[in-house]
Amino acid sequence: MKRALPRIDEGNFLVEAVKRHQAGDLAGARDLYRAILTQNPKHADAIFRIGTIALQVNQYDKAADYIRQAIKVGPVTSAMLINLGAALRGLEEYKSAIRAYDRAIKLNVNLADAYYNKGRALQSLKKFEEAKDSYKLALSVNDKEADTWINLGTVQRELGEADDALYAFEVAMRLNPIMAAGYSNAAAIYFDSALFEKSMVMMDKAIELEPENYAYREKLGFFLRSVGNLERGWVDFDIRFLAHEEAKANRRPEPPPYWNDEDLSNRKILLWTEQGLGEEVFSAGIIPDLLETGAQCVIECSERMQPLLQRSFPSIKVTRWLDNRETVNQASPPFEFQCPALSMVKTFRPTVDSITNHVPYIRADPKLVVDLRSKYEELAQGKRIIGISWRSKNPELGKDKTVPIMGWRPILDAEDVFFVNLQYGECTEEIEEVKSKLGVDIFVDPDVDALGDLDPVIAQIAATDLIISASNSNVHFAGAMGTPVWSMLPKSRGLLWFWFMDRSDSPWYPSVRLFRQQSAPSQDHSWWTEVIDDVAAALPQWLAAPLAPRP
């Protein structure tokens, strides 16, 4: 006959398990919780606490499963619901997490943690107004939590409420003077407000507090490069491979080893591009410099860019990103070095004064250019041909760079202009709205797929007289070919570092003219309104002048 196990004192075991749990002995605590469950499988508290341990080690599936079991056994506590919400946030099930937090709040309307974490879930869904309200409710219960003030300020910044956001960050810094996030976020507000020296001071303080925080060091480098301090701004440029998971995943494995400024004469190097099309075009500007060193070079780029770069640099081999290991393994002789093209920019362009250009270094298919130019000239009937694009698809800054097409009326009202759509992505409804509400036709070429083969896209850009665009890849393509292009830029937020500050020209691309927001950033008006007016005011003079010869 099987002997029964001796009974344990569940209360004492639970006290000891919680003590070990709080001391960080997760394995010991879990063993004791399981001992309780061996005797009493419906001990809700033990089930819940095992789920909490799973949550602490980022095992979100297990955590959600255990905590749901505990909730089913009952009685339900607010702690169970808050931790279930945390597990669901870890699983990126934000809507379900919000429902869990709402249930916790029904049990107790004075739960700052529930409001705070609900705000985080709403923030992940980019529901910034609702997230702001939830953070404010958390602060109404407990206004001494610096983290809550930081998150409130973050969503206020997203909503364009810069003054309120700065106040939130300042409160956080007063509550916790050694919390680096307060200084870093305040620095972003100062930078958005064009208070650049203050932003640098704040970033330096954040890095002093957290010197191993790669994101802070990358942010400071971005600020420094933006104001033209390339010498200092290049220092942590490669830290992007540590600060961002996507960049880290895209960093090529060794061998070959990474180039560290060794002599490249008669030595073989693999140069690879990264990020978006604009960055690929921008970094390709140093390929002529690299070839002048006597290096034996192979270029690795995105699949769409490969035919374009091969035509532009016919003397070198151009391969695709997805063929990286094959390219390396089959190289004969083998590569001695590899280097990201963007990283090599800092070698050949160490200061603003050292910036030279080799425009045109990107070359469109000449037959396609002739064919498209002939088509547009026939349709334009003597009018100037202007290509336009108004959006950026940059996942972080796209909305801040975009200039909504319905705001273009002062430009679209120009006489004797044939407008050609260059906007990539779905924009049919926007173009139809311009036609119906503004009475302006924007020609959409059915033979050009802006998200497909790049050759017709580039040829279309080269076939125009002028490009007017928000800051996007079209500006880089036009600039690299020497096609005249006017780009509209915000003063700070949404401005990429390589456009620098204040200047109306670009040292990278001689054919680029920059139209910038001049007023201080404000949440009371859109940055692009004044820039649109400046572009519209410049158009009559351009229309009256003869077209400049292309390089």
Side-chain angles (χ1 to χ4, degrees):
M1 183 174 176
K2 192 173 182 179
R3 294 180 61 187
L5 291 172
R7 292 191 62 80
I8 64 172
D9 186 320
E10 294 176 12
N12 287 339
F13 263 57
L14 185 63
V15 169
E16 179 61 25
V18 171
K19 187 185 300 183
R20 293 189 185 189
H21 195 161
Q22 292 173 341
D25 179 9
L26 301 187
R30 184 169 52 238
D31 288 344
L32 291 175
Y33 293 140
R34 284 175 173 164
I36 295 170
L37 292 174
T38 299
Q39 177 169 294
N40 180 3
K42 292 190 175 183
H43 195 293
D45 204 7
I47 299 171
F48 163 60
R49 292 178 186 278
I50 289 178
T52 300
I53 289 175
L55 179 62
Q56 288 176 271
V57 295
N58 301 329
Q59 294 178 348
Y60 301 119
D61 276 317
K62 284 185 177 180
D65 183 54
Y66 275 113
I67 297 171
R68 282 185 172 125
Q69 289 181 47
I71 290 170
K72 185 176 181 180
V73 172
V76 181
T77 67
S78 57
M80 290 177 182
L81 293 166
I82 289 173
N83 283 13
L84 175 60
L88 293 168
R89 278 197 305 106
L91 293 169
E92 299 184 2
E93 297 178 15
Y94 301 116
K95 292 180 180 179
S96 296
I98 290 166
R99 287 193 289 271
Y101 296 131
D102 282 339
R103 287 182 66 189
I105 291 164
K106 281 186 178 179
L107 291 178
N108 184 349
V109 295
N110 292 315
L111 286 174
D113 280 353
Y115 293 118
Y116 170 71
N117 285 293
K118 179 182 176 181
R120 295 174 71 189
L122 288 163
Q123 191 172 344
S124 296
L125 292 171
K126 299 190 183 302
K127 295 185 176 182
F128 299 122
E129 196 69 52
E130 292 175 60
K132 179 178 73 171
D133 292 341
S134 197
Y135 290 135
K136 285 186 172 180
L137 285 168
L139 291 169
S140 72
V141 178
N142 179 4
D143 63 359
K144 304 301 182 186
E145 286 292 335
D147 284 336
T148 309
W149 284 103
I150 291 290
N151 283 25
L152 173 62
T154 301
V155 296
Q156 288 172 325
R157 180 178 177 234
E158 290 289 346
L159 292 166
E161 300 168 2
D163 291 342
D164 291 339
L166 183 58
Y167 173 78
F169 298 140
E170 287 172 342
V171 173
M173 287 185 282
R174 286 197 297 271
L175 289 171
N176 187 350
I178 61 170
M179 187 180 190
Y183 299 94
S184 172
N185 281 285
I189 294 292
Y190 287 131
F191 190 80
D192 289 350
S193 304
L195 298 171
F196 303 122
E197 288 189 15
K198 271 192 171 183
S199 71
M200 307 294 178
V201 171
M202 286 289 179
M203 280 312 307
D204 282 335
K205 180 64 176 178
I207 293 168
E208 176 188 327
L209 292 169
E210 289 187 27
E212 299 305 313
N213 188 309
Y214 302 133
Y216 293 167
R217 289 161 60 185
E218 185 191 40
K219 184 187 289 188
L220 176 60
F222 178 91
F223 290 171
L224 290 162
R225 293 191 301 277
S226 297
V227 299
N229 187 348
L230 294 188
E231 301 96 318
R232 191 178 167 205
W234 285 134
V235 171
D236 275 333
F237 188 51
D238 288 347
I239 213 165
R240 66 191 182 280
F241 294 113
L242 297 174
H244 298 288
E245 289 302 317
E246 184 177 356
K248 189 186 301 182
N250 289 333
R251 183 175 169 84
R252 307 302 189 267
E254 297 187 45
Y258 278 81
W259 180 63
N260 191 28
D261 291 333
E262 293 90 346
D263 178 28
L264 287 173
S265 180
N266 294 315
R267 305 183 78 176
K268 193 169 183 179
I269 184 169
L270 176 64
L271 190 75
W272 46 269
T273 64
E274 58 183 294
Q275 301 183 28
L277 289 174
E279 287 78 12
E280 287 195 85
V281 175
F282 171 76
S283 60
I286 54 90
I287 294 176
D289 300 271
L290 178 58
L291 295 177
E292 287 176 6
T293 69
Q296 300 173 32
C297 180
V298 173
I299 308 298
E300 185 180 280
C301 64
S302 66
E303 186 166 6
R304 294 182 72 202
M305 283 290 293
Q306 194 267 341
L308 180 59
L309 287 182
Q310 189 65 79
R311 181 189 310 108
S312 302
F313 301 100
S315 66
I316 60 179
K317 182 179 180 181
V318 181
T319 66
R320 305 173 303 171
W321 288 338
L322 56 86
D323 296 327
N324 172 260
R325 286 297 89 191
E326 181 181 342
T327 300
V328 171
N329 293 336
Q330 296 182 2
S332 180
F335 291 103
E336 296 181 66
F337 306 108
Q338 65 173 310
C339 186
L342 275 174
S343 296
M344 195 167 275
V345 175
K346 65 184 180 182
T347 298
F348 291 112
R349 311 287 186 264
T351 65
V352 171
D353 291 339
S354 72
I355 296 174
T356 56
N357 66 79
H358 301 278
V359 173
Y361 60 84
I362 294 294
R363 302 186 185 279
D365 182 323
K367 183 180 184 306
L368 278 175
V369 175
V370 170
D371 290 347
L372 289 174
R373 180 70 188 185
S374 298
K375 179 199 295 188
Y376 298 158
E377 284 181 340
E378 183 177 348
L379 292 168
Q381 298 182 334
K383 297 178 180 180
R384 291 279 177 93
I385 301 166
I386 297 180
I388 62 172
S389 59
W390 53 94
R391 287 202 308 264
S392 166
K393 294 185 71 176
N394 183 298
E396 294 182 8
L397 299 173
K399 67 182 179 64
D400 300 305
K401 298 196 293 175
T402 293
V403 183
I405 187 60
M406 287 304 294
W408 283 54
R409 181 162 200 158
I411 295 172
L412 298 175
D413 280 344
E415 297 182 357
D416 298 321
V417 173
F418 177 70
F419 291 105
V420 177
N421 174 52
L422 302 180
Q423 181 57 55
Y424 41 85
E426 177 54 46
C427 54
T428 303
E429 290 185 8
E430 292 166 282
I431 290 173
E432 290 175 349
E433 186 179 18
V434 167
K435 171 65 175 176
S436 64
K437 294 184 178 179
L438 305 184
V440 176
D441 284 304
I442 299 172
F443 177 68
V444 179
D445 194 329
D447 297 325
V448 179
D449 176 4
L451 293 177
D453 181 1
L454 271 179
D455 274 350
V457 175
I458 304 310
Q460 185 180 40
I461 290 172
T464 64
D465 296 317
L466 173 68
I467 305 296
I468 301 177
S469 180
S471 174
N472 61 24
S473 60
N474 287 333
V475 178
H476 291 279
F477 283 124
M481 290 190 292
T483 301
V485 53
W486 295 359
S487 184
M488 295 179 280
L489 303 174
K491 194 173 185 70
S492 51
R493 185 173 172 85
L495 180 67
L496 295 178
W497 70 265
F498 38 67
W499 301 129
F500 301 127
M501 299 290 176
D502 301 326
R503 61 192 299 165
S504 60
D505 68 327
S506 167
W508 313 101
Y509 308 118
S511 67
V512 169
R513 180 176 176 184
L514 304 174
F515 287 80
R516 298 177 178 273
Q517 175 190 9
Q518 298 298 325
S519 64
S522 169
Q523 65 192 60
D524 297 325
H525 63 269
S526 299
W527 68 265
W528 41 262
T529 304
E530 64 184 84
V531 185
I532 288 278
D533 290 339
D534 289 343
V535 172
L539 266 178
Q541 183 178 358
W542 177 81
L543 288 166
L547 293 174
R550 299 283 180 88

